[in-house]
Amino acid sequence: MMALIRRDQAMLYRQEQTTFVDALLELKRRGIYDNYIKQHSQIGYNGHMGPAFLPWHREFLRRFEKDLQEVTPGLSIPYWDWTIDNSPDSSIWDANFMGGDGQGSNRMVTSGRFAFNAGHWTCLKIDISTDYLTRELGVHISSLPTKQAVTDCLGIPDYDSYPWDTTSKSSFRNDLEGWIGPDIHNRVHEWVGGHMRPLSSPNDPLFWLHHANIDRLWAKWQREHPDRPYLPQSGAPMGQNQPDPMDPWFGATTIASTLKHQNLGYIYDTEWPAGQGDRMLPGDTLVADQYLISQDGAYMFKFQANGNLVLSRSDNGTPLWTSGTDGKAQGGVCIMQPDGDLAVRDAAYNLVWHTNTGSTGNRASRLYVQYNGHVSIFRQDSVLVWKKPDAS
Ligand SMILES: [Cu+2]
């Protein structure tokens, strides 16, 4: 079985954005969503300002994601890399996705499907006074975390340190959470403002995308420091040590049970082995025998050693489409060019075949191998620019 993949929200195409928002609204309608707001509000030190911050939120997100999957099987929480998509103009604020900034003196969100007037998103009044969602982008703090801040944080070798709270020094957790250093996690809550600020912050669905990114960074730190354990192993208050059960789940849900995110059933798209995944981003290349595979594993898009690009069924190899470049590009590459053109180039880098979709308007397009057996190129604004096979 393929692991569930959490993706960069900026790479979702329009239909994927819609599906995710649909599922959030459905959990709200079923009354399930508000339980998460309550849980997060009540957790206090058991989930914040201490070592359990990262394990607690990892478990919290995974449980929420499983509830999303009850609505839409296979759905994952996208992550928001705020070091890249770091302005009020970023696509995350599109009306089709998270909706925009708050407007007017009451900072009410008025665009998109979480706007109060859209009729489906009523906030839970814990630590807030309005049932409409509010945002104040850049008002309380002017900038989102920088790449440098994240790089420096990932370089801290100790997971955490005594006294296991907001004063801990040389602590990856405390730096990432934001109580020391340039402030990473807290800063994002502050930058968005409005309902993202109090402990009832899951009132804003951005919460999930923000915390998926925090969790991704923890997973990255774990990968980059394989010999560094979770700390503390013992000696801290109950709920903070590695073997401790976590409030409010208890039982088998311990800090230890969250330490390998792969075991919880998901990975991040930034963890894919090179050349194996269901998409090509600008600049990605396939060399001989490398392939993409659709997320359900049913379809394969391979750059064969003979220079032919072939879409086929994975189980029986039946070709569904080929570029017809068999014998013409041995030793070459298939490259998703930054101008939106997918090109097969020979060993001397001469153009042998291309989708002819390179243009200014198609810059930053990406290619997907989809469940439905198509290989498609989408522009960054989700417009389909190329698709094979032609017949559906
Ligand atoms: Cu947070």
Side-chain angles (χ1 to χ4, degrees):
M1 182 177 149
M2 303 277 290
L4 187 75
I5 296 160
R6 291 190 184 163
R7 299 147 187 277
D8 183 342
Q9 61 78 27
M11 298 298 161
L12 299 182
Y13 52 94
R14 191 153 282 267
Q15 185 54 48
E16 291 174 320
Q17 292 180 331
T18 303
T19 302
F20 181 67
V21 173
D22 283 346
L24 291 169
L25 295 176
E26 179 60 16
L27 285 189
K28 180 63 118 172
R29 195 189 67 77
R30 293 183 187 180
I32 294 169
Y33 192 97
D34 288 356
N35 296 336
Y36 285 90
I37 303 172
K38 286 180 203 149
Q39 246 175 26
H40 190 265
S41 299
Q42 290 161 358
I43 201 61
Y45 177 64
N46 290 341
H48 300 94
M49 306 183 185
F53 169 66
L54 295 168
W56 192 88
H57 283 84
R58 176 169 284 177
E59 180 71 21
F60 188 60
L61 259 69
R62 186 61 184 124
R63 285 176 184 252
F64 182 73
E65 191 169 56
K66 285 179 176 171
D67 278 341
L68 286 173
Q69 291 170 348
E70 293 290 316
V71 178
T72 306
L75 198 60
S76 60
I77 302 174
Y79 64 87
W80 171 28
D81 186 344
W82 16 251
T83 66
I84 299 171
D85 300 295
N86 59 0
S87 92
D89 300 325
S90 300
S91 63
I92 191 168
W93 312 111
D94 285 356
N96 191 59
F97 198 39
M98 290 294 113
D101 195 2
Q103 305 295 315
S105 56
N106 59 12
R107 306 301 304 201
M108 185 202 282
V109 170
T110 57
S111 60
R113 300 171 69 199
F114 302 103
F116 193 68
N117 291 341
H120 303 292
W121 200 256
T122 306
C123 294
L124 197 61
K125 291 191 202 172
I126 301 177
D127 302 329
I128 55 157
S129 58
T130 71
D131 47 13
Y132 54 83
L133 183 61
T134 68
R135 288 182 187 144
E136 313 160 278
L137 306 190
V139 169
H140 297 282
I141 200 160
S142 64
S143 64
L144 285 162
T146 62
K147 279 201 168 79
Q148 190 60 50
V150 168
T151 303
D152 293 346
C153 180
L154 288 169
I156 299 172
D158 288 324
Y159 175 80
D160 212 338
S161 66
Y162 181 83
W164 321 114
D165 59 21
T166 59
T167 67
S168 295
K169 307 264 186 282
S170 306
S171 159
F172 165 72
R173 185 278 311 166
N174 206 22
D175 193 284
L176 184 63
E177 190 173 2
W179 305 108
I180 54 168
D183 182 2
I184 298 180
H185 153 268
N186 293 337
R187 172 180 285 264
V188 176
H189 283 274
E190 288 297 298
W191 186 84
V192 174
H195 289 5
M196 268 289 268
R197 297 181 81 203
L199 270 177
S200 53
S201 51
N203 261 319
D204 191 329
L206 266 180
F207 172 92
W208 307 104
L209 285 73
H210 170 38
H211 269 277
N213 197 44
I214 292 293
D215 184 65
R216 183 180 70 91
L217 294 174
W218 181 27
K220 191 164 190 227
W221 179 89
Q222 290 179 302
R223 195 165 62 249
E224 291 175 2
H225 303 270
D227 52 343
R228 293 293 179 145
Y230 175 86
L231 291 175
Q233 303 277 308
S234 63
M238 189 62 180
Q240 304 290 338
N241 308 289
Q242 178 162 323
D244 295 351
M246 285 193 292
D247 183 12
W249 309 295
F250 301 109
T253 304
T254 62
I255 287 180
S257 74
T258 67
L259 296 182
K260 289 197 166 70
H261 67 292
Q262 303 91 332
N263 293 353
L264 299 180
Y266 68 90
I267 58 171
Y268 288 94
D269 59 2
T270 42
E271 301 173 84
W272 290 355
Q276 295 184 24
D278 70 345
R279 69 181 194 193
M280 291 174 84
L281 302 181
D284 282 353
T285 58
L286 298 175
V287 297
D289 288 330
Q290 280 191 326
Y291 59 89
L292 309 175
I293 192 158
S294 60
Q295 205 183 343
D296 61 357
Y299 298 95
M300 177 180 277
F301 186 61
K302 184 171 180 178
F303 186 59
Q304 297 180 337
N306 63 16
N308 205 11
L309 200 50
V310 180
L311 176 70
S312 63
R313 287 187 56 101
S314 305
D315 53 358
N316 58 19
T318 306
L320 302 168
W321 173 86
T322 94
S323 59
T325 49
D326 189 345
K328 295 181 189 137
Q330 287 101 325
V333 293
C334 171
I335 177 165
M336 188 65 215
Q337 300 183 159
D339 64 356
D341 204 17
L342 180 75
V344 171
R345 294 179 174 276
D346 66 16
Y349 214 67
N350 296 312
L351 187 64
V352 170
W353 173 90
H354 67 142
T355 51
N356 206 10
T357 49
S359 82
T360 311
N362 291 352
R363 282 176 62 193
S365 293
R366 64 272 189 207
L367 173 146
Y368 288 91
V369 179
Q370 300 177 283
Y371 298 116
N372 61 12
H374 284 103
V375 54
S376 307
I377 296 175
F378 289 91
R379 241 165 43 184
Q380 194 165 35
D381 61 1
S382 302
V383 172
L384 178 71
V385 296
W386 183 83
K387 175 175 159 182
K388 294 292 174 195
D390 295 313
S392 61

